[in-house]
Structures are given as structure tokens and as C-alpha cells.
Amino acid sequence: MIQIQNVTKSFGVQVLLDGASLLVGDHERVGLVGRNGCGKSTLFKMILGQECLDGGSIDIPKTYSIGYLQQHINFTHATVHEEACSVLKPNEDGWLEEHKVEAILFGLGFDEESMHKSPMLLSGGFQIRLNLAKVLASEPDMLLLDEPTNYLDIVSMRWLSRFLRGWKGEVLLITHDHHFMDEVCTHTAGIHRHKIRKVKGTVEKLRETIAEEEEVAQRTQENEQRKKEQLERVIERFRYKAAKAAMVQSKIKAAAKLANGERLTHERNLDFSFTETPFPGKRMLQIKGISFAYPDGPELITDLTLEIFKGDRIAVIGPNGRGKTTLLNLIAKELQPTAGEISYNPNLQINYFGQTNINRLNLDNTVEEEIATAIEEVSQKSRARGLAGLMMFSGDAALKKVKVLSGGERSRVLLGKILASACNMLLLDEPTNHLDMESIESLIDALEDYEGTALVVTHDEELLHAFANRLVVFDGGTCRIFEGTYADFLEKVGWASEKKPGGANSANIKVSNIDVKTDSSSSPSAANANGNAEAGGVPRAGMDRKARADYIAERSKVIKPLEKKLAKIEEDIAKAEALGGELEAKLVAASESGDGNAITAIAKDMDDNKKAVDQLYEDWEKTSAELESAKDKYPI
């Protein structure tokens, strides 16, 4: 385990940590949260010895190994498979268990062909995935993972979530994905007011705890301020009376110990809303049998037909590199289909937030100037300063050049440009990238309030559950339309890579002493394919965020035990059926050898095992019915 004690760290006048402490105990998986720039990644670097401490200590046992996801590339082997296997240690028999590495590589989205490629021929994102695979396969005591999902698609993220939930050591995780963190972590720690506060449970539990402590601290400060003002009046009244000198000195000392009168400052959250322009009619655009392929590349979209209507909330989902961004570029007229056509209603007005758009920001403009370029009316240009403030560039921050901004700050500038002009259709390509959790929640709130139409490419499952009522799914080599929510999709269809070939309900993969259960959508508990009750979805109508969180917690208390019970029964059935196969083989051998005593004993064992299997299936049917009844009681 790791013990961080009274650590202090500053860069110039910017204080990141001041007397911060954190203990990561045995088998704990701790999510580390905080606003962008608060010191999360710096804390990782200090743990690794890559950054010095200004004060305090970080205690790590001598034999304790730490695995860290490297962003830089340093490959020394000829193929992806060889590079990944280079971290393996021989087992007790001296063998390298390469199947463990292969399971991890497949889980992270590599296929058989890519296994034999040179690592240097991979895209940047897959090179980072290879680094992640090496870290996981090396089996350190602790994993330090800084935004591991940034280079993963939704399918790989779901696999990584299951893998980490089975990790036997410790995990310290930074991610902007609230949903992913809550699935993986047993504890949540937050950097707040330069300290670290840790609780057992979810991000929401940490926030509630901090909010309660802030309220107590504020009341205490206000009480102390009133007491100080009373003391100061007494001091002023008797300051020049010699007989009261001792009493006055006592009051001065007491007043010095009380509050200084400065109220607690509050961290500002991104708070905005999209502006809708009216749209008369219902159908906004019609996609008729379009196909698209880049020159000398595979066909990404084949014969896609889709009508988009006013008020649609469409999520475009699937593994990376399958055509999701291409579809948005086609709708935005930045690309032309190689076949078919897209018909637009003349009243349609589109705003497009995309990664290529972020790259097109004028680096020499200030934040205010860049936002102003999106405002057509000269008389309205003054709105740019206010919009910059909404995007958390207040005061002199609005005068920063775009070239000096971080990726997250540039994303906020682009959001500001979208806010500067009204539209009735939003195209958003991975809008949560580079945003912290609080900003992502503001984005989700803004999308829920927006009355226009929105198409969003995302791998953020919290956003998917809260937002989508229709899906465009790129999976299994096809692109298809799914009419329903993301929760409906998981229950009725599911991801192709999470289904066991042959239609079986589930597959158990043994990965370096970690049992990872892969649930397909056809399994009895498939409504919760992620392994968490929270993954099923969030009720929306009539509920605010707090009410949804309470509903999810209540639902989880009822449904999660039933899902665990059902999973245990399924495991027992698999074991019993495997035993039945072994007994049949033994019976054949005993019959061939003419061993009458063995035949009698094996036949009895087979009969007992058959009765056990029959009972297990009865238990499965009963528990499955209870689970379905519970899900009907707590719909998602």
C-alpha cells in the first residue's frame, strides 16, 4: 500500500497541495477526482519519483511494484505480440503464459492481424493501448492509471472496467468518466482546497460528504466572525482603561485565534445552455442509402438510411475507426458520400463541435476574439466577453491567446463559439474529451434542456444513459439504426465482442489470476451487462440529478444481490455440467476395462450430479423470475 502524508506542492504562486494526506489500503481501488489543474497528475508523478515534493512524505514499501501507463513510446520488439509478452515473468514451471497477454490484447481491441504488426505501424491511440496492455500483463502490486480511457472506444472501456473490478492488487485511477470510475473503484478521493478527502463509495458520496463539511465549516466561520466582532467591540471600549489592560490583552489574543472574516471561496462550475432557433415542421434531414470509403481504404458506411426528426436525441456509438466521426462529417457537409444522398430541410441550422473544428481555432486570437468570430452581427460582438465568462474565462483569462491553452480549455472555447450562434441541430463529436467531471455534468444538463435535435458521438456511458433515445450503432462490421435507449440496446442486442461464439450467454476468461466475466445481452442478467446496477440507465422524466442518484442507489440495493446470486448459480451450473462430462468419460473407461465396482460408484455419482444440476436450474428459474420482477418494479 501507499501512504501520502502532509504533502505540499506548488508551482510558483500556484498552490496544488498543502498538507495533503492519502492512504491507499490493501485491495482498494481508489478514484482520484478534482478540477482540471488541481494536481492529480502531479501527485502521480510524485508517487513515481518524477516530481519532487516541497514538503511531507510518500511512503512505499521496498518490494512494492507500481505499474504506470506511459504516454511516450519506446518499443523494442518486432511485433505487437512480442512487445506485449516482453513484460511476462515465467511461472513456477518456467513457462511464459502468453495466453494471458493475448486475452488482454483482444480485450483492448487488437485483432489477430494486428498481433503480428510492428508496434511502430500502429496508430497513436493503439500504441497507447499496447502500453496499457503491457502494464496490465506485468501484474504490479498497484496500477497508476491516468485517463486510461482517453484512447479507448466504448467496447474496450467496458472490457477494461470488468478487468479492473477483478484486479487483486490496488488501483489509483484518474478519469473524467464518472460512470467508469464508479464501476471500477471501491473508494473515491478528491483534491479539494489543496487537501485530499477520501470516502468509501462513489463520486456522488464524496461530493455529498464534502458539501456537508463545507456547510459545517461555513457555519463555524460565521459564528467565529460574529464572536470576533463582539470581542473587538469590547477591546475598543476598554482599550485605554488601565484597570482593564489584562482583560483587553486576553480578548486580543482570543480574537486573533478566530476567523479572519474572509468567506470560503467556491470553485466555479461551467454553467451554460445551448440556444435553439425555431424549426417549423418535423423532418430535419433524410439520409438515403449513403455509402462512404476513403481512397484506398475500406468502406466505412454501407447503404445507410436514416431520417432525423425534430427533438431526436441520437447517439452514434461503436469501436474507434469504424466511421462514427465520418458520419458527422458527412452530415456537416465536410465530406461527400460515395453513394446515396443526404436531403436537408431548408430551415435546418447546424452547429458542429468536432475534433477537427478544435484544430481549426485561430491560435493567434484571444479567447474573446475567437468566440467573437462566431457572432455574425457586429452589434452583438460585445457578447463574446460574456460568453467567455460562461466558459470560465473571466477577466484577464479572456485575453489569453488560444495557442497557450490546454486541450480542455480549447474545447471550452469551441463550446463558446457554438453558444454564440443559435441552431436547431447540434453535432457533437466526443464533447466530453478534455472536460472534467463537473464540466461534463454541465454539458449533460445543457443537452437535457436543449429543445432542438442533437447527434452525439461518445463513449461516455453516463452521457449515453442520460441522453439518447435513438442510436446509430457501428459494431460487428455493420452500421445499423437502433430505435430505443442505450439501456434498451444493452438488454436486447449488446456488443458483438461481448457475446460468446455459438450463442452462449457468457464466457469466463482467466487473465493472470483475474476472473473476468463477459456478459452478453442474451444472458438472464443482460439488462446489466456492465456488472453494476447503475449501468442499466437513469430514469429521466421528472427527476433531477439528486433524485436519479437516489433512485439508482435504491434500485442497486434490490437488484445487485439478485444479479450476484444469479451469476453464482450460473457458475455452479457450469461446474456441475463439466463434472458430468468428466464422469461420463470415466464411465466409458470403466466399461471398457470391465471394472464393475467402478461402474457402480461412477453411476451413483452421475445420478447425484444430475439431481444437483436439475436443482440448480430450478434455482436459476426462480432467481431469474425474481430479478425480472425487481427490474419491472425499478424500471430504467
Side-chain angles (χ1 to χ4, degrees):
M1 64 181 181
I2 289 179
Q3 189 165 4
I4 298 166
Q5 300 184 71
N6 297 316
V7 166
T8 300
K9 182 64 182 178
S10 301
F11 290 101
V13 297
Q14 183 186 12
V15 178
L16 297 181
L17 301 172
D18 184 10
S21 299
L22 173 67
L23 173 67
V24 181
D26 292 342
H27 309 302
E28 288 184 355
R29 301 187 299 276
V30 180
L32 184 61
V33 301
R35 301 306 300 261
N36 286 344
C38 72
K40 302 186 296 295
S41 295
T42 300
L43 180 62
F44 271 27
K45 291 178 181 178
M46 291 191 291
I47 292 172
L48 294 165
Q50 298 174 357
E51 190 72 57
C52 63
L53 285 66
D54 294 342
S57 64
I58 298 178
D59 299 322
I60 304 172
K62 290 183 179 180
T63 59
Y64 195 79
S65 60
I66 298 176
Y68 177 58
L69 175 57
Q70 301 282 350
Q71 300 295 325
H72 70 269
I73 305 303
N74 182 28
F75 299 134
T76 58
H77 292 76
T79 68
V80 167
H81 185 267
E82 291 172 358
E83 182 68 33
C85 289
S86 66
V87 300
L88 285 178
K89 300 172 185 177
N91 62 14
E92 295 177 354
D93 300 321
W95 292 92
L96 294 178
E97 298 181 89
E98 296 183 1
H99 64 279
K100 296 178 181 179
V101 173
E102 292 164 0
I104 293 172
L105 288 171
F106 284 130
L108 292 176
F110 291 87
D111 55 23
E112 190 66 40
E113 180 183 352
S114 63
M115 293 281 197
H116 305 292
K117 281 185 178 179
S118 166
M120 302 311 298
L121 296 178
L122 298 175
S123 66
F126 269 89
Q127 288 180 336
I128 299 298
R129 293 193 196 198
L130 179 53
N131 275 346
L132 177 57
K134 290 171 63 178
V135 173
L136 300 179
S138 66
E139 299 182 346
D141 295 307
M142 168 177 275
L143 290 171
L144 284 189
L145 300 177
D146 189 351
E147 298 289 3
T149 64
N150 272 1
Y151 299 93
L152 301 181
D153 53 45
I154 190 169
V155 177
S156 299
M157 282 177 59
R158 289 166 61 82
W159 178 88
L160 181 61
S161 172
R162 293 189 294 272
F163 186 95
L164 293 178
R165 290 201 299 273
W167 186 257
K168 302 302 182 183
E170 290 76 60
V171 176
L172 193 54
L173 169 70
I174 297 172
T175 178
H176 64 268
D177 191 322
H178 184 160
H179 182 86
F180 183 85
M181 181 173 285
D182 283 350
E183 280 195 327
V184 168
C185 295
T186 60
H187 296 71
T188 308
I191 298 179
H192 180 68
R193 300 194 189 282
H194 315 306
K195 309 288 188 185
I196 302 177
R197 185 70 168 87
K198 174 186 165 188
V199 300
K200 184 175 183 180
T202 65
V203 174
E204 190 62 34
K205 176 67 178 298
L206 175 66
R207 288 177 178 168
E208 291 173 356
T209 301
I210 289 177
E212 291 170 0
E213 292 173 351
E214 290 275 284
E215 186 177 351
V216 171
Q218 188 66 55
R219 286 202 303 266
T220 300
Q221 189 181 64
E222 290 170 354
N223 290 336
E224 289 188 353
Q225 181 61 25
R226 284 194 294 270
K227 188 180 294 185
K228 183 177 182 179
E229 290 170 355
Q230 292 172 355
L231 289 171
E232 287 174 343
R233 286 195 294 270
V234 172
I235 293 167
E236 190 63 28
R237 181 179 178 185
F238 297 105
R239 181 185 296 276
Y240 303 108
K241 294 185 178 183
K244 301 291 185 180
M247 183 269 287
V248 168
Q249 290 300 316
S250 173
K251 299 298 184 186
I252 290 174
K253 291 179 180 178
K257 295 178 181 179
L258 296 176
N260 59 16
E262 296 179 3
R263 294 179 63 84
L264 292 174
T265 58
H266 293 282
E267 294 179 331
R268 189 176 166 209
N269 290 331
L270 193 65
D271 186 15
F272 64 95
S273 60
F274 296 107
T275 305
E276 181 198 5
T277 189
F279 180 84
K282 295 183 178 179
R283 188 167 68 190
M284 307 189 83
L285 65 81
Q286 186 174 21
I287 299 173
K288 302 176 184 177
I290 66 167
S291 299
F292 182 84
Y294 288 100
D296 301 322
E299 192 164 68
L300 296 175
I301 299 173
T302 303
D303 195 26
L304 174 64
T305 295
L306 169 67
E307 288 185 299
I308 299 177
F309 299 95
K310 181 179 178 180
D312 275 348
R313 297 286 194 271
I314 301 175
V316 185
I317 59 176
N320 287 347
R322 303 297 173 85
K324 303 188 300 297
T325 296
T326 298
L327 177 59
L328 261 60
N329 285 333
L330 288 166
I331 294 174
K333 301 181 181 179
E334 296 194 357
L335 293 172
Q336 295 299 318
T338 51
E341 63 175 346
I342 303 177
S343 302
Y344 299 85
N345 188 298
N347 295 304
L348 181 64
Q349 295 184 39
I350 293 175
N351 273 343
Y352 185 17
F353 177 99
Q355 302 309 309
T356 56
N357 303 66
I358 292 175
N359 296 335
R360 294 174 192 164
L361 295 174
N362 188 328
L363 300 182
D364 292 323
N365 276 344
T366 66
V367 171
E368 182 180 358
E369 290 169 343
E370 186 62 20
I371 292 176
T373 63
I375 302 175
E376 295 182 0
E377 297 183 24
V378 176
S379 62
Q380 297 292 317
K381 294 286 185 180
S382 59
R383 292 178 53 223
R385 176 58 71 98
L387 289 170
L390 281 177
M391 294 296 101
M392 298 172 62
F393 296 105
S394 56
D396 291 343
L399 304 179
K400 285 183 177 181
K401 296 282 190 182
V402 173
K403 67 175 69 174
V404 304
L405 301 180
S406 67
E409 289 172 326
R410 293 185 188 187
S411 292
R412 296 208 306 271
V413 173
L414 184 56
L415 277 176
K417 293 183 69 173
I418 289 177
L419 296 180
S421 58
C423 68
N424 44 40
M425 179 180 285
L426 287 168
L427 303 181
L428 305 177
D429 187 6
E430 299 289 8
T432 62
N433 280 3
H434 305 295
L435 296 181
D436 56 31
M437 284 187 181
E438 290 77 11
S439 298
I440 291 171
E441 291 180 355
S442 294
L443 174 65
I444 292 174
D445 287 340
L447 284 172
E448 289 180 338
D449 294 338
Y450 179 62
E451 295 183 0
T453 298
L455 277 79
V456 179
V457 172
T458 184
H459 58 247
D460 188 312
E461 293 199 292
E462 181 184 10
L463 175 56
L464 285 173
H465 283 301
F467 163 77
N469 58 23
R470 301 179 73 195
L471 305 175
V472 179
V473 184
F474 289 81
D475 191 32
T478 65
C479 173
R480 63 186 182 277
I481 311 303
F482 180 83
E483 300 294 347
T485 66
Y486 182 60
D488 294 334
F489 168 76
L490 292 177
E491 180 174 2
K492 297 175 182 178
V493 181
W495 294 104
S497 63
E498 296 180 6
K499 300 173 185 176
K500 186 178 179 182
N505 290 337
S506 63
N508 285 313
I509 305 171
K510 186 83 170 181
V511 182
S512 82
N513 300 321
I514 301 172
D515 287 309
V516 181
K517 184 166 184 178
T518 306
D519 298 320
S520 84
S521 62
S522 58
S523 70
S525 59
N528 189 1
N530 289 24
N532 256 1
E534 292 89 337
V538 180
R540 296 180 59 205
M543 287 192 180
D544 59 19
R545 190 173 302 282
K546 179 65 168 60
R548 291 199 302 269
D550 292 341
Y551 179 91
I552 291 171
E554 182 180 353
R555 184 179 187 273
S556 178
K557 288 180 182 179
V558 175
I559 289 178
K560 200 167 184 178
L562 290 172
E563 289 180 330
K564 288 183 176 180
K565 182 179 179 181
L566 200 62
K568 179 64 168 60
I569 293 172
E570 290 172 352
E571 182 181 351
D572 291 342
I573 288 173
K575 290 179 180 178
E577 288 181 339
L579 177 59
E582 294 173 3
L583 290 172
E584 287 179 2
K586 289 182 180 179
L587 184 62
V588 171
S591 300
E592 291 175 349
S593 64
D595 189 340
N597 292 333
I599 291 172
T600 301
I602 294 170
K604 182 179 182 304
D605 290 342
M606 290 180 66
D607 183 66
D608 292 342
N609 187 65
K610 183 179 181 303
K611 290 177 181 177
V613 170
D614 291 342
Q615 182 60 50
L616 284 169
Y617 273 109
E618 287 182 16
D619 294 342
W620 184 90
E621 291 176 359
K622 179 181 177 182
T623 305
S624 181
E626 291 174 357
L627 179 59
E628 292 303 318
S629 176
K631 287 179 178 177
D632 289 340
K633 184 177 179 181
Y634 293 91
I636 53 177

